[in-house]
Amino acid sequence: MTIRTINEIFGAEISGLDLTQPAGDATRAELNALFAKHAVLVFRDQPLTPPQFMQAAEIFGSLMDQQIKQFVLPDYPLVGCNSTKDLPRKNGKLQVRGENYHTDHSNDIAPPKATSLMAVQIPSYGGDTQFVDVRRAYDDLSDAQKTTLKNLRSKHVHESSRSPRSFSKLSPEDMAKIPHTEQPLVIKHPISGRPALYLNTGRMEGIEGMSADDGFALIDELYQHATQPQYEYRHQWRVGDMVIWDNRSVMHQANADYDPEEYRYLYRIMLHGDKLQPFL
């Protein structure tokens, strides 16, 4: 196994492994240690079937149900899909799921620890996925800012009243099943112990103990800070890429900058996480 760091902040590309084969205990332990450190792992040239993708993802934890059932594979309901065919268009432009930096299912009481995508078909240009390291973004805050954020919490819902993006429209029955919860603004990673900002402007409904305007202003300030270019890795997809990222360490966003007539199709898996712990 060969490890190449992607940049000085986070991310690593792993080669020399065949993920179609089961991983041994030593390999699993090494990959999980690398994951806790680098937060985003990239495996190139791994054209995995859905069962093989499930097996590879399970190296890092147990598979989690997808919240939105309309985007799952009928034969493999734990595997979701991101497909151009599922996307609405507005003025000829694709409205992709996952635009705007976020962390997945933050409204869950125990959000997914990780999300993984497997590239099956990729357009000739565009459609990159961007990541930002919210651990480093927290590190770079002033001591006064860190003191201000200590003990602050935000309610996470299906779609915030000030969300910058639209979410899937659900029936009243499905909406009743979607969880909502309060999350710390700064969380502690359960393995590395590192603090990180926990942000999702699409789901955060203000901040506990603050007026709506003041709470959303603070959320926006932190979001603008955390999404600066110095914290970013932009992944350019190739067919056969498997990428897995730590939702407790990075935010990510999708891009709709590709020809809407070209097909883009990726498998998607999430892994069970634990209830988030505040960094105190």
Side-chain angles (χ1 to χ4, degrees):
M1 183 164 62
T2 302
I3 302 114
R4 181 184 68 84
T5 55
I6 291 172
N7 61 41
E8 64 179 16
I9 299 177
F10 73 110
E13 186 172 311
I14 312 297
S15 57
L17 284 180
D18 180 0
L19 293 179
T20 66
Q21 302 301 312
D25 290 344
T27 298
R28 297 170 76 94
E30 184 174 2
L31 287 173
N32 275 278
L34 290 168
F35 188 56
K37 177 180 179 181
H38 295 288
V40 176
L41 298 184
V42 176
F43 301 87
R44 300 279 195 184
D45 303 315
Q46 303 281 346
L48 305 174
T49 65
Q52 291 168 341
F53 182 35
M54 293 166 67
Q55 175 183 266
E58 284 180 322
I59 292 171
F60 302 94
S62 60
L63 306 189
M64 178 179 179
D65 284 338
Q66 309 274 327
Q67 275 191 3
I68 310 299
K69 304 302 183 186
Q70 70 193 79
F71 301 122
V72 302
L73 302 185
D75 294 335
Y76 304 99
L78 290 175
V79 181
C81 62
N82 289 357
S83 169
T84 307
K85 291 180 180 178
D86 298 325
L87 301 176
R89 289 162 171 77
K90 185 176 182 180
N91 299 324
K93 183 178 182 293
L94 286 170
Q95 305 296 292
V96 303
R97 293 162 56 202
E99 280 190 289
N100 186 260
Y101 277 113
H102 64 285
T103 183
D104 285 334
H105 295 349
S106 63
N107 57 310
D108 202 299
I109 294 171
K113 64 183 271 188
T115 303
S116 184
L117 291 176
M118 166 71 216
V120 179
Q121 191 164 341
I122 296 300
S124 59
Y125 67 89
D128 300 346
T129 300
Q130 293 167 265
F131 302 93
V132 286
D133 190 333
V134 285
R135 303 167 303 179
R136 180 63 68 89
Y138 174 82
D139 291 344
D140 289 347
L141 293 173
S142 69
D143 290 343
Q145 289 172 308
K146 291 174 182 176
T147 299
T148 297
L149 299 182
K150 189 173 289 189
N151 299 319
L152 289 183
R153 302 177 70 85
S154 176
K155 185 176 182 179
H156 289 241
V157 298
H158 174 63
E159 182 174 352
S160 167
S161 60
R162 302 194 192 184
S163 174
R165 62 188 176 104
S166 297
F167 286 74
S168 300
K169 302 307 175 189
L170 304 177
S171 68
E173 294 77 16
D174 287 340
M175 192 66 184
K177 300 174 186 175
I178 298 294
H180 55 82
T181 191
E182 293 174 350
Q183 305 288 18
L185 225 57
V186 181
I187 62 171
K188 179 180 179 180
H189 195 279
I191 298 174
S192 70
R194 288 188 64 178
L197 294 172
Y198 195 73
L199 303 170
N200 188 345
T201 54
R203 298 196 191 274
M204 296 173 78
E205 197 58 49
I207 294 177
E208 253 187 358
M210 300 179 70
S211 69
D213 286 346
D214 288 347
F216 281 109
L218 178 55
I219 290 169
D220 184 64
E221 176 187 344
L222 294 172
Y223 179 84
Q224 295 303 324
H225 166 70
T227 56
Q228 294 179 86
Q230 66 261 35
Y231 303 127
E232 178 190 302
Y233 162 58
R234 185 174 186 128
H235 184 72
Q236 297 179 317
W237 289 97
R238 301 196 312 234
V239 171
D241 283 357
M242 175 182 159
V243 178
I244 186 166
W245 63 89
D246 191 329
N247 284 307
R248 304 157 301 186
S249 301
V250 300
M251 291 193 292
H252 65 283
Q253 72 172 4
N255 286 275
D257 57 346
Y258 55 96
D259 185 343
E261 300 308 314
E262 290 196 63
Y263 194 40
R264 183 178 186 271
Y265 188 83
L266 301 95
Y267 299 138
R268 177 177 183 260
I269 278 176
M270 295 183 301
L271 301 182
H272 276 288
D274 299 315
K275 185 177 179 180
L276 300 173
Q277 298 302 313
F279 182 78
L280 301 175

